Amino acid sequence: MVSTATVTGFSPRILVFSTNNISDPGIDLAGSRHLHYSATVSTMSVPCSSGLKPGWILHAFESGLDGVFIASDGEECALLPDCAERTSRIVSQAHELMRAKGLEPQRLKMAAVCSVCAEPFVNYMREFSQMLTTMGPVTHAP
Amino acid sequence: MSEQRRLGVYICHCGGNISDYVDVEMVKDAFKDDPEVVVAETTMFACADGTQHEMIRDIKEKHLDGLVVASCSPKLHQITFRGVAKRADLNPYQYTQVNVREQASWAHTDDHVGATEKAIGLVRAAVAKTKLSPELGGWVGGLGAMFPHGTSGREQIDLLVAEIATRPSITVLTDAELVSKSGSFGNYVTEVRIHGQEEVVTTDVGTIVVATGFDSYEPEAGEFGYGMEGVLTLPEFMAIVDSSDGPLTYQGKPVRTIAYVYCVGNRQPAGGNEYCSKFCCSATVHASIKVAARDAAVHQYHLHRDIRTYGKYELMYTESRERGSVYLRFPDDTPPSVARTADGHVAVTVVDALTGNEELTIPADLVVLVTGMVPRENSDLTSLLKLPVGGDGFYNEIHPKLRPVETVVAGVMIAGACQGPKTLSESVASGLAAVTQSAGILMKGFAELDPLVATVDTAACTGCTTCVETCPYDAISMITCEGAAVAAISAAVCKGCGGCVPICAQDAIDLLGYTDAQMRASIESLTKEPVS
Ligand SMILES: Cc1cc2nc3c(=O)[nH]c(=O)nc-3n(C[C@H](O)[C@H](O)[C@H](O)COP(=O)(O)OP(=O)(O)OC[C@H]3O[C@@H](n4cnc5c(N)ncnc54)[C@H](O)[C@@H]3O)c2cc1C
């Protein structure tokens, strides 16, 4: 079997960090409804996006990923009332680490994905994949 | 009726022992604008038999639900007036005694102005204390016939209270405030302060159910004419309907025409109260049926954006129309306006979307603003229990469908309209869910905790305390380990969010199940070439 990636040449690998209670169920729902997005998008679920280390994001790029997307809980986070601010802080710290390594900051995106946000999630993935395809693979030598 | 109280306040002359030094008429006048003080009287001797009879008559005829007597020391007559309350079928603890003799008039015979001001302050304080909802039943306890079955709210509450009284396993504390919660899931210790007293009641509890309800939207002065005579909110209107029989009157005059303006304070544009309160259409439609049943000649106009009498409540909508109610739909962006007419009436002007946006003016005796629910101010409780509050200001459950009464705080459940607008049966359903959930936890006999909590590498910790401040659950504290101050995380209190992990500059915190090593290894493995 040949994957879409092989046929079209470059298909960016995207790592999505989702959250156990909110965004991961939303991403599940996209699958349940057979809404398609690129198979080079993979999800890793954590309890809360405020627990992500900026270093993990950098590590993803160093491991060959082309984009990282944080599907956060936004205002809905039941664990931390200031989750959105905490996650934004992590994103800016990661952006700094990325800049220092010559990585374009656009390769890291964050958006709130709710537990029924199937369509928005798929749209985010389409747009993000398109953008990363235009940018091409990570070129620096980590 | 709303949770508005109906208090009687009696100020005693005590022959002259009080009134020679305290201006009792001034004390009485201090309450003339308080809508919850229904009776304010001065009396020559409050303790006289005749006066006691008058109080009992007032309590019964004016449906008083609280009593304040400003006279002598409670040591003298507290029992007397508790007896008065009892004989009038009023809970004797709904009575507050104010000492304006020993502690105002007699103590300040040299300072009439000072004594009067002090007395006003003391009586105000007692009124405020009495008002504080010590009765069980919330809003429902003040309502008459309710939708969908026409049963009286008060009677439903009385039945439940009688049922509770037969169960020794239930202890009810009214006029009680949760003042602290400590311990961890399975071992909570709560402190409750009753009647504002100094000492607190300490109890070990397994679970806590929060059912603190809602408030009714209070329109701004001038909002849809609010403040004009004849313009009422839904709870104010219900109070009038439920406290009388026969054809409806308002301030002694018969009510011939009522205009209801729906969606006041709800479904507002972005930034306001955007949600729908769900109960108000049905409650108003039901009220209009009650009014029509008492006097078929009353004209009732319902000005609405759309009627949400969902499910079987649709039948009430049909019945209301069959009984003569007229429904006029106005466009979302053109709300009606309310103005006073030359002949002293109020009139509502509305654009009727269903007759080609024709503008109609309806003169009415009463304009009822169908006010929805707003979150109740409860910030002390919210921060004490660390309850999550949603964008609309109501409490948030973990998931509305999957875990509808649990909060992120283990063992703390929410139920009823504190979660968001609900009808009575919806509130009861969530109450049942919360007690079932609680029973499940209690009957197990032990508490099971999620082991995926954060841990500190004490060797790496420098004791900077940043993590301590950042944990909203107070799960992190400082301990001494081999002579050095280091952070320690309570496995029982930690929620396992991991929020402290990226905050630690020393990388000394790991979330079990999501450790640094685990996360890095998974990330690397994602991109390994697939096996060919
Ligand atoms: C005018 C009106 C008419 C209505 N008519 C109907 C109807 O006909 N049918 C229907 O189905 N629904 C009706 N409703 C809706 C119904 O009243 C609600 O669904 C119901 O009251 C919700 O119950 P609850 O117990 O969640 O909240 P509440 O009734 O608000 O009760 C909450 C209780 O918690 C107490 N409390 C609050 N904070 C604290 C604290 N910190 N510590 C201790 N205690 C606290 C309050 O004093 C109160 O006793 C009506 C509502 C209104 C306003």
Side-chain angles (χ1 to χ4, degrees):
Chain A
M1 224 170 106
V2 185
S3 75
T4 329
T6 327
V7 174
T8 55
F10 174 63
S11 180
R13 289 173 187 249
I14 298 175
L15 169 59
V16 178
F17 284 113
S18 64
T19 64
N20 294 345
N21 287 328
I22 309 219
S23 62
D24 209 52
I27 297 170
D28 282 355
L29 187 64
S32 310
R33 289 175 50 190
H34 294 216
L35 302 176
H36 291 169
Y37 53 95
S38 165
T40 51
V41 174
S42 301
T43 301
M44 278 172 76
S45 183
V46 294
C48 171
S49 53
S50 302
L52 294 172
K53 280 193 188 177
W56 298 343
I57 293 162
L58 194 68
H59 192 61
F61 292 114
E62 288 166 349
S63 305
L65 284 139
D66 303 298
V68 173
F69 186 91
I70 302 179
S72 69
D73 294 351
E75 303 303 323
E76 271 190 76
C77 179
L79 289 163
L80 293 169
D82 56 345
C83 179
E85 293 99 84
R86 285 180 189 241
T87 309
S88 321
R89 214 176 308 136
I90 292 164
V91 168
S92 3
Q93 284 165 359
H95 274 155
E96 249 158 60
L97 295 180
M98 289 164 67
R99 256 186 231 109
K101 293 272 178 188
L103 285 158
E104 305 89 329
Q106 303 93 286
R107 293 190 182 271
L108 169 60
K109 280 222 174 306
M110 163 175 121
V113 172
C114 74
S115 60
V116 291
C117 288
E119 252 154 31
F121 172 72
V122 171
N123 291 336
Y124 284 135
M125 285 310 109
R126 288 210 186 110
E127 287 162 21
F128 196 31
S129 294
Q130 254 162 31
M131 190 194 79
L132 291 168
T133 309
T134 323
M135 288 173 75
V138 172
T139 47
H140 81 296
Chain B
M1 193 173 84
S2 67
E3 277 214 85
Q4 281 235 334
R5 299 299 306 267
R6 299 179 63 80
L7 306 185
V9 178
Y10 301 85
I11 302 121
C12 184
H13 285 249
C14 195
N17 279 305
I18 296 169
S19 54
D20 283 354
Y21 314 103
V22 167
D23 185 339
V24 290
E25 288 302 321
M26 231 167 117
V27 178
K28 177 181 116 179
D29 286 345
F31 299 95
K32 70 173 191 297
D33 292 326
D34 186 335
E36 294 182 279
V37 174
V38 179
V39 177
E41 301 270 4
T42 60
T43 135
M44 193 47 71
F45 284 107
C47 55
D49 271 355
T51 318
Q52 293 191 28
H53 283 302
E54 274 166 34
M55 288 181 190
I56 294 175
R57 197 199 53 215
D58 282 352
I59 295 170
K60 291 194 162 162
E61 283 181 2
K62 302 202 167 118
H63 306 283
L64 301 186
D65 62 9
L67 180 66
V68 172
V69 179
S71 59
C72 50
S73 165
K75 294 174 190 71
L76 221 57
H77 276 309
Q78 176 138 292
I79 296 181
T80 314
F81 296 111
R82 279 201 180 144
V84 167
K86 229 181 204 159
R87 278 178 282 153
D89 291 329
L90 179 73
N91 178 340
Y93 293 91
Q94 293 292 336
Y95 157 67
T96 311
Q97 170 87 30
V98 196
N99 183 356
V100 292
R101 196 178 67 180
E102 285 84 342
Q103 295 189 8
S105 67
W106 282 354
H108 312 293
T109 50
D110 56 343
D111 180 2
H112 295 199
V113 175
T116 303
E117 280 174 2
K118 178 172 177 182
I120 292 175
L122 289 173
V123 182
R124 279 212 176 110
V127 164
K129 184 167 175 252
T130 315
K131 276 181 188 172
L132 262 182
S133 185
E135 289 240 353
L136 287 177
W139 287 86
V140 175
L143 291 170
M146 294 175 73
F147 79 84
H149 302 300
T151 30
S152 141
R154 184 68 252 166
E155 283 166 21
Q156 295 183 68
I157 296 293
D158 288 345
L159 279 176
L160 285 170
V161 171
E163 177 93 356
I164 287 172
T166 65
R167 295 175 191 239
S169 58
I170 302 179
T171 305
V172 178
L173 305 173
T174 49
D175 191 12
E177 185 192 2
L178 184 67
V179 290
S180 86
K181 186 205 82 173
S182 53
S184 52
F185 176 46
N187 282 319
Y188 286 134
V189 180
T190 56
E191 290 183 323
V192 175
R193 171 163 294 139
I194 304 167
H195 306 313
Q197 282 160 358
E198 200 54 45
E199 72 269 37
V200 291
V201 176
T202 307
T203 321
D204 294 341
V205 300
T207 60
I208 295 171
V209 177
V210 175
T212 48
F214 65 99
D215 249 331
S216 182
Y217 176 77
E218 181 75 26
E220 309 268 336
E223 188 178 352
F224 294 106
Y226 191 61
M228 273 181 212
E229 204 173 295
V231 180
L232 303 174
T233 62
L234 184 60
E236 290 166 345
F237 175 66
M238 293 289 200
I240 293 176
V241 173
D242 288 339
S243 63
S244 59
D245 301 310
L248 203 62
T249 59
Y250 177 66
Q251 296 190 333
K253 286 182 236 137
V255 174
R256 312 293 343 137
T257 306
I258 307 174
Y260 302 94
V261 179
Y262 282 69
C263 292
V264 174
N266 279 180
R267 299 175 70 196
Q268 292 173 326
N273 302 323
E274 293 172 47
Y275 53 86
C276 157
S277 280
K278 294 166 77 193
F279 82 97
C280 11
C281 281
S282 298
T284 308
V285 168
H286 184 249
S288 74
I289 296 174
K290 290 204 273 189
V291 169
R294 278 158 59 165
D295 180 356
V298 178
H299 302 285
Q300 302 190 73
Y301 298 94
H302 301 250
L303 317 184
H304 65 94
R305 288 165 71 176
D306 47 25
I307 290 291
R308 297 182 172 182
T309 45
Y310 52 96
K312 60 178 186 272
Y313 307 145
E314 198 72 17
L315 297 173
M316 295 193 306
Y317 173 53
T318 306
E319 182 182 345
S320 145
R321 284 184 307 158
E322 283 168 357
R323 285 180 180 269
S325 269
V326 174
Y327 286 80
L328 299 165
R329 179 173 187 166
F330 60 85
D332 283 356
D333 56 1
T334 322
S337 59
V338 180
R340 182 148 285 292
T341 58
D343 63 353
H345 276 66
V346 272
V348 191
T349 303
V350 61
V351 170
D352 180 21
L354 299 183
T355 54
N357 288 343
E358 196 167 329
E359 198 174 87
L360 304 170
T361 297
I362 304 163
D365 302 307
L366 279 186
V367 173
V368 179
L369 307 184
V370 179
T371 42
M373 294 182 176
V374 291
R376 183 192 288 264
E377 205 302 304
N378 239 327
S379 43
D380 288 347
L381 185 74
T382 309
S383 59
L384 196 139
L385 292 178
K386 307 206 192 306
L387 294 166
V389 177
D392 55 7
F394 291 93
Y395 294 142
N396 262 2
E397 56 285 310
I398 290 181
H399 188 282
K401 291 198 172 65
L402 303 179
R403 295 172 74 182
V405 294
E406 288 164 87
T407 68
V408 283
V409 190
V412 176
M413 255 67 73
I414 47 177
C418 69
Q419 296 184 275
K422 285 186 171 56
T423 65
L424 177 55
S425 60
E426 289 161 357
S427 304
V428 168
S430 86
L432 290 174
V435 282
T436 310
Q437 190 74 34
S438 296
I441 292 169
L442 297 181
M443 285 158 85
K444 200 162 170 187
F446 57 89
E448 215 166 303
L449 296 172
D450 203 335
L452 302 180
V453 293
T455 54
V456 180
D457 174 359
T458 41
C461 176
T462 56
C464 73
T465 75
T466 311
C467 57
V468 178
E469 288 138 36
T470 195
C471 175
Y473 300 102
D474 299 332
I476 316 181
S477 54
M478 297 305 291
I479 56 159
T480 312
C481 180
E482 290 171 12
V486 291
I489 300 178
S490 159
V493 182
C494 176
K495 297 270 143 261
C497 64
C500 53
V501 171
I503 275 163
C504 179
Q506 312 303 324
D507 274 336
I509 308 181
D510 253 337
L511 180 62
L512 297 180
Y514 305 88
T515 63
D516 193 63
Q518 285 175 310
M519 292 299 288
R520 285 175 186 273
S522 326
I523 292 168
E524 284 158 25
S525 310
L526 264 185
T527 47
K528 287 225 174 87
E529 287 305 317
V531 272
S532 48

